[in-house]
């Protein structure tokens, strides 16, 4: 086994080894993971930059989504998009090792900017959560949880880096951005789930008549949903009608299919990302140990009490054996 393991690096193409060494990665699999997850992150971010134009956003959003984005909703939407898209773009560079090693000042300043932008974007998210993708309770709960856990993770990462606990800073920053990255996975799950329920459409959801009118116009609204007549004559201004969820139908049915599936898709995507990042952290103990040794040296130099455990470490609060430097 030792012979096989030692010959493996030589079997790699030289150009690949040169590439990941140039970028600062210690192992080839790190470059592969960065290419997959970092590439998806940056690709998604760049594709969404056009949404900073409201008309373009509405042309690509779920049918009926822009009905609520006026006044407070418009402010919330653009506080969110205008902050999270630049933050996501800048975050890509935080995970390139050579930048962290050689341009540490950029890494620090960039980190502060990202934290500020993310927190502002979260404020915008809360402003639009009531109506985002239909605003169902499961959707609001999932959005609220995502904002809370990603904010807490960023707070933990910030505290630990100020205490020079670098392995904990790495772990919590990875968690924060893996959590927020579920917004990419949710799109995949959403398309699959809406397609499945549309094979034999049988799921209905109540939609406000004024929103239906926004999607398909008055004539078709009255033809398909007679209950909305009371909305138009003013007797029931908050009238709702049951709409079939069908991804193969018109705008009202497509929007309904997406609205009723989004909460489930977000919960499932968030679960996958929460579990996935913990698996990755458990599979990379050597990197964690390496950073803890660096933390120990820096904390010792800075005069911290109990160097190696100045931040929020497991052995400080749990029942594990106290960490001891191997140097």
């Amino acid at each position: 086994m030792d012979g096989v393991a030692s010959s493996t690096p030589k079997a790699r193409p030289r150009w690949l080894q040169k590439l990941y060494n140039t970028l600062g990665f210690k192992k080839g699999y790190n470059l592969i993971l960065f290419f997959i997850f970092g590439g998806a992150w940056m690709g998604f971010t760049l594709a969404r930059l056009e949404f900073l134009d409201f008309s373009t956003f509405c042309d690509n959003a779920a049918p009926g989504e822009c009905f609520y984005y006026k006044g407070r909703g418009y402010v919330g939407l653009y506080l969110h998009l205008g902050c999270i898209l630049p933050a996501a773009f800048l975050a890509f560079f935080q995970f390139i090792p050579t930048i962290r090693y050689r341009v540490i000042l950029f890494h620090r300043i960039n980190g502060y900017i990202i934290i500020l932008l993310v927190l502002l974007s979260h404020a915008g998210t809360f402003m639009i959560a009531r109506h985002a993708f239909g605003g169902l309770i499961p959707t609001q709960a999932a959005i609220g949880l995502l904002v809370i856990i990603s904010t807490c993770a960023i707070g933990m990462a910030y505290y630990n880096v100020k205490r020079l606990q670098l392995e904990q800073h790495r772990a919590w920053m990875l968690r924060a951005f893996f959590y927020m990255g579920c917004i990419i996975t949710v799109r995949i799950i959403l398309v699959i789930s809406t397609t499945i329920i549309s094979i034999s459409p049988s799921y209905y959801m109540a939609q406000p008549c004024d929103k239906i009118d926004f999607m398909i116009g008055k004539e078709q609204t009255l033809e398909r949903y007679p209950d909305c007549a009371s909305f138009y004559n003013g007797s029931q201004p908050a009238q709702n009608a049951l709409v079939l969820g069908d991804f193969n139908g018109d705008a009202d049915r497509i929007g309904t299919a997406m609205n009723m599936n989004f909460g489930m898709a977000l919960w499932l995507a968030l679960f996958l990302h929460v579990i996935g990042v913990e698996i990755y952290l458990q599979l990379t103990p050597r990197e964690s140990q390496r950073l803890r040794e660096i933390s120990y040296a820096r904390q010792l130099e800075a005069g911290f009490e109990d160097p190696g455990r100045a931040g929020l470490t497991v052995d400080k609060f749990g029942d594990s054996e106290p960490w001891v430097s191997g140097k």
Side-chain angles (χ1 to χ4, degrees):
M1 289 296 291
D2 290 340
V4 173
S6 61
S7 63
T8 301
K10 297 179 182 179
R12 296 193 186 101
R14 287 188 177 181
W15 65 266
L16 179 61
Q17 189 169 0
K18 184 177 180 180
L19 176 61
Y20 72 71
N21 286 336
T22 300
L23 293 175
F25 294 104
K26 304 296 184 182
K27 303 289 184 180
Y29 74 85
N30 293 133
L31 176 62
I32 295 172
L33 291 174
F34 179 77
F35 178 78
I36 295 172
F37 294 107
W41 177 281
M42 181 58 87
F44 183 83
T45 301
L46 294 176
R48 263 64 189 169
L49 287 177
E50 63 178 354
F51 288 179
L52 293 174
D53 175 71
F54 187 65
S55 60
T56 303
F57 172 83
C58 289
D59 289 341
N60 291 273
E65 195 72 7
C66 283
F67 173 72
Y68 296 107
Y69 294 140
K70 44 195 172 186
R72 180 175 181 270
Y74 181 87
V75 173
L77 174 68
Y78 274 94
L79 180 59
H80 172 64
L81 289 179
C83 291
I84 200 61
L85 289 176
F89 178 82
L90 294 174
F92 176 85
F93 301 99
Q94 293 295 89
F95 294 96
I96 299 177
T98 192
I99 292 178
R100 296 199 303 270
Y101 301 153
R102 301 179 182 178
V103 200
I104 187 64
L105 182 61
F106 170 81
H107 181 76
R108 289 175 180 172
I109 295 174
N110 197 39
Y112 288 127
I113 294 172
I114 291 168
I115 290 174
L116 177 61
L117 289 173
V118 168
L119 294 179
L120 289 173
S121 79
H122 284 174
T125 300
F126 278 128
M127 292 174 68
I128 62 176
R130 173 62 183 87
H131 297 294
F133 280 92
L136 296 176
I137 297 299
T139 299
Q140 293 187 56
I143 291 173
L145 178 63
L146 174 57
V147 169
I148 290 170
I149 64 174
S150 57
T151 301
C152 289
I154 287 175
M156 291 287 284
Y158 177 79
Y159 177 81
N160 278 289
V161 79
K162 298 304 287 185
R163 298 292 295 173
L164 301 179
Q165 201 70 51
L166 302 183
E167 87 285 352
Q168 290 299 318
H169 173 70
R170 165 185 175 262
W172 284 106
M173 270 303 182
L174 281 171
R175 288 185 179 112
F177 286 98
F178 259 80
Y179 298 161
M180 290 188 285
C182 77
I183 204 65
I184 302 173
T185 305
V186 76
R187 262 66 180 182
I188 300 171
I189 300 173
L190 182 61
V191 170
I192 294 173
S193 60
T194 51
T195 301
I196 291 173
I197 70 164
S198 300
I199 294 174
S200 181
S202 58
Y203 290 90
Y204 290 82
M205 174 181 169
Q207 294 278 24
C209 289
D210 51 352
K211 181 179 177 182
I212 299 173
D213 176 90
F214 177 81
M215 290 187 280
I216 61 175
K218 180 178 180 180
E219 184 177 339
Q220 289 191 64
T221 300
L222 286 173
E223 181 181 339
R224 295 182 187 178
Y225 312 104
D227 290 346
C228 287
S230 58
F231 160 72
Y232 287 109
N233 63 33
S235 61
Q236 292 289 340
Q239 180 65 40
N240 284 253
L242 284 178
V243 182
L244 177 67
D246 183 3
F247 206 41
N248 302 311
D250 292 331
D252 55 331
R253 295 185 174 183
I254 295 173
T256 299
M258 298 180 76
N259 288 174
M260 65 174 60
N261 277 280
F262 186 80
M264 174 279 300
L266 183 53
W267 276 109
L268 181 54
L270 184 55
F271 170 79
L272 292 174
H273 281 243
V274 167
I275 296 299
V277 70
E278 295 305 323
I279 292 174
Y280 177 76
L281 289 172
Q282 290 299 314
L283 290 175
T284 54
R286 289 187 178 181
E287 179 63 11
S288 180
Q289 177 65 17
R290 184 186 73 83
L291 289 174
R292 191 155 192 182
E293 292 287 358
I294 296 174
S295 299
Y296 170 78
R298 293 186 181 180
Q299 290 169 9
L300 187 65
E301 183 181 356
F304 283 117
E305 293 184 9
D306 203 7
R309 299 191 299 163
L312 301 176
T313 60
V314 174
D315 56 342
K316 197 172 184 178
F317 298 99
D319 61 354
S320 65
E321 292 294 328
W323 181 85
V324 178
S325 174
K327 295 183 179 180

